[in-house]
């Protein structure tokens, strides 16, 4: 008989000092049992707990002190909504760490007599922490905020943007993939040159068509969202496990929170990198700190500092002039002092293609007090994207206090190097990330990749695929401890079929696919040969797009370019569930060049854009449902389709062997459950302490000559009495099921086939 010892760590009250664990008094007559399960065949997407059990504790002096009058709502005592850290020992040897939750108190004659508590595996505290929080609550993600000006978007589309946070470099932390939110691109090297959506580099009208900055939205790596969850809740996902695997390396979430382009205030700060000194050039050096350190031009700011005290008073005037290309988009000019983050001058509701100016400062005495400073920059603000050119002027004077006269003045004029500066949004990641709870986001990932999680002895959350979890266990022969005179054998197949799918598609090609094939793109329906009609359905909370490899409109030749279009079937901007995709970086001679245009998109679909500066891009990020391009004969290593679809880039289904989610992560488990020779074996055993302390749910159990994996086990800790539900290891690969999106049809190793041809 083992001695069970339970420890609880008291809640913090009026102190921040971590409390020592307190040994709890147990009911002497009660045998405490613990039920452990990682993945139950009757609930195959069960996540985030491996054991739980409710039991009773006496209302002893020690226990009353821990639970501090919770039964009395008039006393601010124990908080039953907060889990307490706890651990169970057997004969003073560690058995399990976990959490205790107080459920109820049994009262007798006005006094507590017994507490009902539940002991959970440690992962339950994580669910408790995240509660119903949203992805938009992950403030760490705002380390990747950025000004979405044309230069930034072009760079993020071409190469991706690396971001350093706390001395750690996050590679490709922001990309702008070729997913258009309100249009569908075409590619035509010889025709359609008057179509603003033609993104080829053919020279005709190439300053009025192509990809424009406002067409695109950013995407961030799933890995960085996982990091943000760690930072937000002070938890650690163990390194080297699934979240660090190659399957996650270039998996992205598209920041598509609302249909159409990113909305809100659009602005552009006029930085020194935008301007050239075009007149008063002899004075330009004065404003770069060479001759007069009291006026500097640095990092986009014009810096004025009173530096002369020998009888001179400085004066200055800073002027910004804007010339828009549109006569219908209202805008404002602002001059901002960045030292105090205040707008010191503004001109609002400006309109028209004529120039408008705003100035700040004056060239008279007493303009700056002794040692007073200004650090100024100009910016333009609009509601819709505004294309403009700009000019800046700096005038600097000295007033001789002794002589009482204006003594000397310098003027330098700067004009923008581009006539197509475009106002754009400052992207706040948490304001643009799709609406989705953190719990649903993680559940979606776990279901997509058939993951399981548990907490190790270092209080780290270990996330593994189910296959990897079971492959990491040991083998225990418990034949001598099993009551072999009686056991139960029952069916393992709880369903007639398992349906794995994404949410209802809201993008045009995926909608078209469904109407042509009568099923969702990427869906798999695994059908068993069973009379029962129970269906188990997993629907991910994610959008699943069908991407398009563009053809040259005139020649019909396939380009090397793949794009996405988030339009509905009426060619209007659409919004669906959050979109997961693999970002594939295409570069150099391997890519079809595209035309990127510094301009804005007209409201008329396909119309030419206002004249802007064009850039030919040989490098860009493409969206894909696979982690790489692959070849016509070798499938990409990872694929986001549940079933076997025709690869949108290589236009082949690889004979059904395309490393789909089902093939990579579900096949072993599902086909085993549906195998005609799989049974659930129920054994009773009395396990000694040496087995109890070492047995885990990933271990292989041997009884007699047969090996099993653990489906579920319940143990009375004092006596070691254990009820096992075990799945036998099949001795053949024959199955009684078929998967409904494997285009290869029947195979010799199965008694069924996958039924979803990838037509459409």
């Amino acid at each position: 008989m083992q001695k069970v010892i339970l420890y609880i760590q008291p809640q913090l009250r009026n102190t921040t000092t971590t409390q020592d664990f307190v040994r709890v008094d147990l009911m002497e007559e009660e045998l405490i049992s613990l039920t452990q399960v990682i993945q139950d065949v009757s609930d195959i997407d069960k996540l985030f707990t491996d054991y739980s059990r409710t039991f009773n504790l006496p209302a002893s002096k020690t226990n009353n002190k821990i639970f501090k009058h919770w039964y009395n709502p008039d006393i601010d005592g124990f908080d039953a909504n907060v889990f307490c850290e706890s651990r169970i020992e057997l004969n003073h040897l560690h058995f399990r760490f976990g959490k205790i939750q107080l459920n109820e108190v049994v009262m007798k004659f006005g006094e507590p007599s017994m507490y009902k508590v539940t002991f959970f595996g440690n992962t339950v505290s994580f669910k408790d922490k995240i509660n119903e929080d949203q992805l938009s609550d992950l403030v760490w993600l705002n380390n990747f905020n950025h000004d979405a000006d044309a230069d930034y978007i072009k760079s993020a589309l071409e190469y991706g943007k690396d971001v350093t946070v706390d001395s750690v470099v996050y590679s490709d932390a922001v990309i702008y993939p070729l997913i258009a939110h309100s249009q569908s691109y075409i590619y035509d090297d010889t025709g359609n040159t008057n179509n603003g959506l033609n993104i080829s580099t053919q020279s005709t009208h190439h300053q009025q068509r192509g990809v424009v900055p406002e067409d695109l939205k950013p995407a961030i790596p799933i890995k960085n969202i996982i990091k943000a969850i760690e930072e937000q809740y002070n938890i650690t996902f163990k390194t080297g496990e699934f979240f660090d695997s190659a399957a996650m390396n270039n998996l992205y979430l598209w920041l598509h929170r609302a249909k159409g382009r990113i909305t809100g205030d659009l602005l552009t700060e006029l930085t020194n990198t935008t301007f050239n000194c075009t007149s008063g050039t002899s004075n330009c050096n004065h404003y770069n700190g060479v001759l007069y350190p009291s006026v500097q031009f640095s990092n986009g700011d014009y810096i004025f500092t009173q530096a002369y005290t020998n009888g001179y008073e400085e004066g200055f005037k800073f002027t910004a002039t804007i010339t828009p290309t549109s006569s219908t988009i209202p805008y404002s000019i602002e001059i901002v002092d960045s030292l105090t983050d205040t707008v010191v001058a503004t001109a609002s509701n400006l309109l028209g293609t004529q120039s408008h100016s705003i100035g700040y400062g004056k060239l008279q005495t007493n303009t700056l007090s002794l040692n007073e400073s200004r650090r100024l920059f100009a910016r333009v603000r609009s509601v819709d994207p505004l294309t403009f050119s700009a000019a800046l002027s700096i005038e600097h004077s000295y007033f001789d206090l002794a002589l009482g006269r204006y003594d000397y003045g310098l003027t330098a004029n700067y004009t923008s190097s581009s006539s197509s500066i475009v106002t754009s949004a400052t992207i706040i990641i948490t304001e643009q990330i799709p609406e989705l709870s953190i719990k649903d986001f993680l559940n979606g990932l776990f279901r997509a990749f058939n993951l399981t999680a548990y907490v190790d002895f270092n209080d780290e959350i270990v996330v593994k695929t189910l296959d990897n979890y079971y492959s990491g266990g040991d083998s225990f022969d418990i034949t001598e401890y099993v009551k072999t005179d009686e056991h139960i054998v029952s069916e393992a197949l709880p369903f007639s079929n398992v349906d794995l799918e994404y949410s209802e598609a809201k993008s045009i090609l995926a909608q078209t696919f469904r109407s042509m094939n009568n099923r969702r793109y990427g869906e798999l329906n695994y059908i068993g040969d069973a009379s029962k009609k129970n269906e188990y359905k997993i629907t991910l909370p994610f959008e699943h797009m069908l991407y398009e490899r563009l053809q040259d409109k005139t020649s019909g030749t396939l380009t090397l370019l793949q794009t996405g279009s988030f339009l509905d079937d009426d060619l209007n901007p659409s919004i669906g569930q959050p979109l997961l995709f693999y970002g594939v970086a295409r570069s150099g001679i391997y890519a079809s060049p595209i035309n990127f245009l510094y301009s804005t998109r007209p409201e008329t679909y396909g119309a030419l854009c206002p004249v802007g500066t064009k850039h030919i891009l040989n490098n860009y990020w493409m969206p894909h449902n696979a982690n790489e391009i692959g070849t016509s004969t070798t499938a990409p290593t990872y694929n986001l389709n549940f079933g076997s679809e025709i690869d949108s880039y290589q236009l082949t289904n690889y004979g059904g062997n395309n490393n789909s989610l089902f093939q990579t992560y579900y096949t072993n488990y599902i086909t085993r459950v549906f195998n005609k020779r799989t049974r659930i074996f129920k054994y009773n055993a009395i396990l000694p302490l040496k087995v109890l302390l070492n047995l885990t749910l990933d271990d292989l159990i041997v009884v007699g000559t047969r090996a099993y994996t653990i489906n579920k086990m319940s143990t009375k800790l004092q006596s070691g009495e254990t009820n096992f539900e075990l799945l036998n290891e099949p001795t053949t690969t024959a199955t009684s099921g078929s998967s409904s999106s494997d285009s290869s049809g029947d195979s010799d190793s199965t008694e069924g086939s996958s039924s979803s041809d990838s037509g459409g």
Side-chain angles (χ1 to χ4, degrees):
M1 202 70 141
Q2 280 80 238
K3 184 175 184 62
V4 178
I5 305 169
L6 174 65
Y7 291 90
I8 294 179
Q9 187 179 51
Q11 294 177 346
L12 296 179
R13 294 181 55 82
N14 304 318
T15 179
T16 58
T17 303
T18 301
Q19 303 295 292
D20 293 332
F21 280 81
V22 175
R23 182 172 174 174
V24 177
D25 294 328
L26 300 177
M27 305 284 284
E28 292 185 4
E29 71 279 6
E30 181 174 23
L31 290 178
I32 296 176
S33 63
L34 193 67
T35 299
Q36 303 178 71
V37 58
I38 277 285
Q39 188 136 346
D40 189 343
V41 294
S42 64
D43 192 8
I44 62 176
D45 70 332
K46 193 176 186 66
L47 305 174
F48 288 133
T49 185
D50 56 351
Y51 46 85
S52 64
R53 186 62 180 178
T54 298
F55 51 90
N56 301 322
L57 299 176
S60 64
K61 182 177 180 181
T62 297
N63 296 351
N64 288 341
K65 186 175 180 181
I66 291 175
F67 297 121
K68 294 184 184 301
H69 309 291
W70 178 76
Y71 55 88
N72 186 346
D74 297 324
I75 297 177
D76 185 16
F78 185 84
D79 187 353
N81 295 317
V82 177
F83 292 105
C84 292
E85 298 287 339
S86 59
R87 71 174 187 265
I88 292 176
E89 294 182 357
L90 299 181
N91 290 359
H92 298 282
L93 298 173
H94 162 72
F95 179 64
R96 293 289 185 269
F97 283 109
K99 311 288 181 184
I100 283 285
Q101 182 182 43
L102 176 60
N103 304 122
E104 61 183 46
V105 182
V106 177
M107 304 292 292
K108 290 185 177 180
F109 306 108
E111 296 292 334
S113 66
M114 186 171 61
Y115 298 97
K116 291 185 178 293
V117 299
T118 302
F119 182 78
F120 293 97
N122 262 331
T123 45
V124 75
S125 66
F126 176 53
K127 290 197 299 183
D128 181 55
K129 284 181 179 179
I130 63 177
N131 197 15
E132 295 302 320
D133 290 358
Q134 301 291 302
L135 291 179
S136 57
D137 294 317
L138 299 175
V139 295
W140 185 84
L141 290 175
N142 285 335
N143 286 298
F144 307 101
N145 294 349
H146 56 275
D147 291 331
D149 55 51
D151 286 335
Y152 188 99
I153 294 174
K154 171 179 169 291
S155 179
L157 167 62
E158 277 191 286
Y159 306 110
K161 301 293 286 189
D162 297 346
V163 179
T164 300
V165 181
D166 297 330
S167 301
V168 177
V169 178
Y170 294 87
S171 300
D172 301 321
V174 178
I175 66 171
Y176 275 74
L178 281 170
I179 306 174
H181 53 71
S182 301
Q183 53 278 328
S184 181
Y185 296 124
I186 66 170
Y187 200 98
D188 197 333
D189 256 340
T190 56
N192 282 290
T193 56
N194 61 347
N195 188 327
L197 299 171
N198 183 1
I199 62 176
S200 78
T201 56
Q202 204 269 357
S203 60
T204 306
H205 293 313
H206 62 301
Q207 290 184 304
Q208 290 185 273
R209 57 178 181 78
V211 179
V212 302
E214 67 182 271
D215 290 350
L216 307 179
K217 290 184 175 182
I220 56 174
I222 298 300
K223 279 187 174 183
N224 290 355
I225 300 177
I226 298 300
K227 171 66 176 177
I229 293 171
E230 290 182 303
E231 293 290 326
Q232 185 84 6
Y233 302 105
N234 193 29
I235 62 170
T236 301
F237 292 105
K238 186 178 180 181
T239 59
E241 301 297 345
F242 181 79
F243 287 150
D244 292 318
S245 70
M248 295 283 288
N249 279 348
N250 54 323
L251 186 63
Y252 282 84
L253 177 70
W254 194 40
L255 301 190
H256 184 54
R257 189 178 181 89
K259 65 176 62 176
R261 65 174 175 81
I262 292 176
T263 57
D265 267 0
L266 309 178
L267 58 86
T268 291
E269 295 182 0
L270 305 180
T271 66
N272 56 344
T273 57
T274 308
F275 292 89
N276 299 312
C277 188
T278 54
S279 64
T281 53
S282 62
N283 301 324
C284 290
N285 286 340
H286 295 235
Y287 303 113
N288 284 280
V290 177
L291 299 179
Y292 292 92
S294 57
V295 182
Q296 299 178 23
F297 189 17
S298 174
N299 296 323
D301 289 350
Y302 295 92
I303 307 168
F304 303 87
T305 304
Q306 165 59 281
Y308 293 86
T309 60
N310 54 346
Y312 288 90
E313 190 77 45
E314 292 185 87
F316 72 93
K317 187 173 183 181
F318 175 43
T319 304
T321 304
I322 305 302
T323 307
T325 60
S326 170
S327 60
T328 60
I329 301 175
Y331 67 97
S332 302
I333 311 172
E334 299 173 344
I335 296 177
V336 182
D337 185 346
S338 64
L339 289 176
T340 58
D341 194 29
T342 56
V343 176
V344 295
T346 184
S348 303
N349 297 317
L350 305 176
L351 195 66
T353 55
Q354 72 272 23
S355 299
H356 289 283
S357 296
I358 184 175
Y360 177 70
K362 57 183 179 178
L363 302 172
Q364 302 295 327
T365 185
N366 299 323
T367 56
L368 280 178
S369 302
L370 189 64
N371 296 324
E372 185 180 356
S373 298
R374 294 283 190 272
R375 189 175 183 124
L376 304 173
F377 65 89
R379 67 188 179 199
V380 178
R381 184 185 298 273
S382 64
V383 175
D384 294 312
L386 178 74
T387 303
F388 62 92
S389 61
L392 300 176
S393 173
I394 307 170
E395 298 176 72
H396 189 206
S397 68
Y398 299 92
F399 193 88
D400 191 319
L401 297 177
L403 298 177
R405 70 186 185 197
Y406 178 82
D407 190 54
Y408 187 67
L410 295 171
T411 300
N413 297 306
Y414 297 81
T415 59
S416 58
S417 56
S418 169
S419 62
S420 54
I421 305 171
V422 183
T423 55
S424 57
T426 297
I427 302 298
I428 309 298
I429 301 298
T430 54
E431 293 178 1
Q432 299 300 331
I433 202 165
E435 296 183 37
L436 185 68
S437 71
I438 297 169
K439 181 168 61 179
D440 287 345
F441 169 77
L442 289 172
N443 281 343
L445 288 182
F446 271 62
R447 288 167 175 161
F449 297 99
N450 199 17
L451 305 177
T452 193
Y454 61 93
V455 178
D456 66 9
F457 292 148
N458 297 316
D459 205 27
E460 295 180 322
I461 299 177
V462 182
V463 178
K464 293 176 176 286
T465 66
L466 194 64
D467 286 347
N468 285 344
Y469 175 78
Y470 281 123
S471 68
D474 296 320
S475 179
F476 282 86
D477 189 334
I478 63 169
T479 305
E480 61 180 299
Y481 312 117
V482 172
K483 299 177 181 178
T484 55
D485 57 334
E486 181 181 351
H487 69 276
I488 296 173
V489 181
S490 60
E491 65 170 355
L493 184 63
F495 316 107
S496 58
N497 63 293
V498 175
D499 191 14
L500 308 173
E501 64 181 13
Y502 286 85
S503 296
E504 181 70 33
K506 300 298 183 181
S507 58
I508 183 169
L509 291 184
Q511 288 178 324
T512 302
F513 180 95
R514 179 162 192 179
S515 67
M516 294 179 65
N517 295 280
N518 198 32
R519 64 178 180 85
R520 297 182 185 183
Y521 176 67
E523 179 183 5
L524 181 137
N525 195 349
Y526 193 90
I527 303 170
D529 293 334
S531 298
K532 60 176 67 71
K533 297 300 181 182
N534 298 327
E535 178 183 72
Y536 195 93
K537 178 176 286 190
I538 291 178
T539 302
L540 300 189
F542 302 126
E543 183 80 22
H544 196 52
M545 285 186 72
L546 176 54
Y547 302 105
E548 179 183 14
R549 183 174 175 180
L550 297 184
Q551 286 183 313
D552 187 289
K553 281 290 186 180
T554 298
S555 68
T557 304
L558 279 174
T559 70
L560 301 178
L561 174 66
Q562 182 164 274
T563 65
S565 299
F566 218 98
L567 304 173
D568 61 22
D569 51 12
D570 293 321
L571 297 183
N572 293 317
S574 183
I575 186 72
Q577 296 299 313
L579 174 65
L580 291 185
F581 69 97
Y582 278 115
V584 178
R586 302 290 277 159
S587 62
I589 61 172
Y590 301 105
S592 299
I594 64 173
N595 199 56
F596 188 83
L597 184 66
Y598 282 21
S599 185
T600 55
R601 180 69 65 192
E603 291 186 10
T604 303
Y605 195 84
L608 288 174
C609 304
V611 174
T613 304
K614 62 98 175 177
H615 301 267
I616 295 176
L617 306 187
N618 288 297
N619 308 294
Y620 40 78
W621 282 86
M622 297 190 325
H624 201 13
N625 282 320
N627 70 313
E628 56 194 350
I629 292 302
T631 70
S632 60
T633 57
T634 303
T637 310
Y638 302 103
N639 193 308
L640 292 178
N641 294 316
F642 275 116
S644 175
E645 305 287 3
I646 293 175
D647 183 272
S648 60
Y649 194 87
Q650 296 294 349
L651 304 181
T652 174
N653 73 343
Y654 300 102
N657 295 311
N658 68 341
N659 299 319
S660 67
L661 291 176
F662 182 84
Q663 187 176 26
T664 305
Y665 302 106
Y666 277 91
T667 296
N668 291 339
Y669 186 73
I670 296 296
T671 57
R672 177 186 177 187
V673 172
F674 277 82
N675 192 306
K676 291 180 178 179
R677 301 189 180 185
T678 300
R679 308 285 188 274
I680 288 182
F681 287 74
K682 298 179 181 180
Y683 285 104
N684 295 323
I686 299 179
L687 301 180
L689 185 60
K690 65 179 181 180
V691 174
L692 281 178
L693 293 176
N694 293 286
L695 185 63
T696 55
L697 293 172
D698 57 349
D699 291 329
L700 196 68
I701 297 295
V702 177
V703 179
T705 60
R706 192 180 294 278
Y708 306 85
T709 53
I710 301 172
N711 188 58
K712 185 186 296 184
M713 58 183 288
S714 298
T715 304
K716 295 179 180 178
L717 299 184
Q718 288 97 328
S719 65
E721 293 180 60
T722 302
N723 297 323
F724 283 104
E725 285 188 10
L726 304 175
L727 285 172
N728 62 294
E729 289 287 290
T731 55
T732 177
T733 58
T735 69
S736 60
S738 62
S739 104
S740 70
S741 59
D742 186 353
S743 303
S744 59
D746 294 351
S747 65
D748 293 336
S749 63
T750 66
E751 297 180 11
S753 70
S754 42
S755 68
S756 84
D757 290 337
S758 300

